[in-house]
Amino acid sequence: MQKEFIVLSEERNVTLTAYLEETGGEFRGIDRRPAILVLPGGGYQMCSDREADPVAFPYLKAGYQVFILRYSIQKNAVWPRPLQDYDEAMDLIRSKADEWHLFADKIAVIGFSAGGHLAGAAATMAKNRPAAAILGYAVLNQDVKGCNPTAPSLIDQVDDQTCPCFLFASRTDNLVPISNSLEFMQALDDHAISFESHIYAYGPHGFSTCDSSVQDKDTVMCSRIPQWVEDSLGWLKDVLGDFSAQGMTEPVCSRFVSGDKEAFLSVDCTIGHLMANAKAQELLKSLMEGMAGAAGADNSGQSVTQGMDPEAVQAMAGKMKLRDALAYGNLPEEKVEQLDEILRRIPNE
């Protein structure tokens, strides 16, 4: 492994530390690696060492090129200076993708507390948005004013370009209220952005990786909190892909929870969205009429929608992916794929 230390701003003490693993040779089939940029917390008053190297090591072990950004703090943290530090760091990392043997389109960001705010800003506002964001007990709403009066709430910044997010926090966090995570998740849901969340029953603020080397072993916290590290690594495989002989596998979890916002239609679009498109509606009308009975019955032959308001049934069906509805109708997989191929020729307008 190589380590590089880069000063981005001597005046503001902004630095980027790079931990770079080897590729090729004994790492057969690995010519490039995904990467992750670590943003320590510290209330925009410091960059916590507990949320820097100790966080980097699990991702290094998992095969990532890892970078730690110590961004502008204290009087230098007037917004948008920290976000500009992030963009400068990401510009540099992507410009050195060949030299540092990484995938420029598979760079995630992870941040904690105020660093989680910066990671959330990267996901929603940055010029160089990451491919995925991990937000640990992050300051995401108006509470950020308590540590940086110039920094924005991020709830209203979530948009269709926001990357998939992984959030974890403690329900009893007495420094960053859980409303930060809950409101951000609602905003992600409003935009149909994929996310995973772990809100643990109890624990302190700032638990980092929970190892006894960074957190007092007698700290009262939920025994499952340390699992966020492995869970986040598994989630990254879902949204970025995993190592394979061909480089990286295709992600199994896309940015959006359905195909409604993709460039072309597909069977992964919701029925309501497809029926609003004239070409798709014509294609699907006869198909859905023929399947209506099968889709509404359970194994005993009783209608699962019996007694429900017809408008409620229609609304529920409209939110269902066509692929799922076709599964209820037992349409052969080859027929589903044929239909998907036809739909993917129709622009999503």
Side-chain angles (χ1 to χ4, degrees), residues 152-181:
S153 167
L154 301 177
I155 307 304
D156 295 333
Q157 300 298 328
V158 175
D159 60 13
D160 291 350
Q161 301 306 310
T162 300
C163 62
C165 295
F166 179 101
L167 301 93
F168 64 95
S170 162
R171 174 66 182 87
T172 59
D173 190 320
N174 60 6
L175 188 60
V176 176
I178 199 62
S179 61
N180 284 266
S181 295

Side-chain angles (χ1 to χ4, degrees), residues 30 54 70 84 93 112 170 205 244 257 308:
I30 299 179
R70 288 179 169 82
Q84 292 169 343
I93 294 169
F112 302 82
S170 162
H205 181 76
S244 74
V257 295
M308 293 178 62

Side-chain angles (χ1 to χ4, degrees), residues 259-261 265 269-277 280 318 348-349:
D260 288 359
K261 296 185 179 182
L265 300 180
C269 293
T270 60
I271 294 173
H273 185 76
L274 290 170
M275 294 304 284
N277 182 290
N348 194 354
E349 299 173 341

Side-chain angles (χ1 to χ4, degrees), residues 166-283:
F166 179 101
L167 301 93
F168 64 95
S170 162
R171 174 66 182 87
T172 59
D173 190 320
N174 60 6
L175 188 60
V176 176
I178 199 62
S179 61
N180 284 266
S181 295
L182 298 178
E183 291 172 15
F184 195 79
M185 284 189 283
Q186 183 60 62
L188 292 171
D189 184 62
D190 290 343
H191 287 270
I193 302 296
S194 297
F195 69 87
E196 179 170 325
S197 67
H198 297 265
I199 308 301
Y200 298 100
Y202 58 95
H205 181 76
F207 46 74
S208 184
T209 58
C210 306
D211 295 331
S212 59
S213 60
V214 296
Q215 184 71 41
D216 188 335
K217 65 181 178 63
D218 295 323
T219 299
V220 177
M221 63 180 177
C222 175
S223 62
R224 296 176 300 281
I225 286 183
Q227 295 176 14
W228 78 258
V229 179
E230 287 301 317
D231 285 342
S232 72
L233 287 166
W235 176 80
L236 284 173
K237 290 181 180 180
D238 288 343
V239 299
L240 298 183
D242 196 4
F243 292 104
S244 74
Q246 289 72 41
M248 295 285 286
T249 62
E250 288 296 319
V252 297
C253 181
S254 64
R255 171 185 295 174
F256 300 112
V257 295
S258 73
D260 288 359
K261 296 185 179 182
E262 302 292 351
F264 290 85
L265 300 180
S266 72
V267 294
D268 291 312
C269 293
T270 60
I271 294 173
H273 185 76
L274 290 170
M275 294 304 284
N277 182 290
K279 292 182 179 180
Q281 184 182 103
E282 182 180 351
L283 180 66

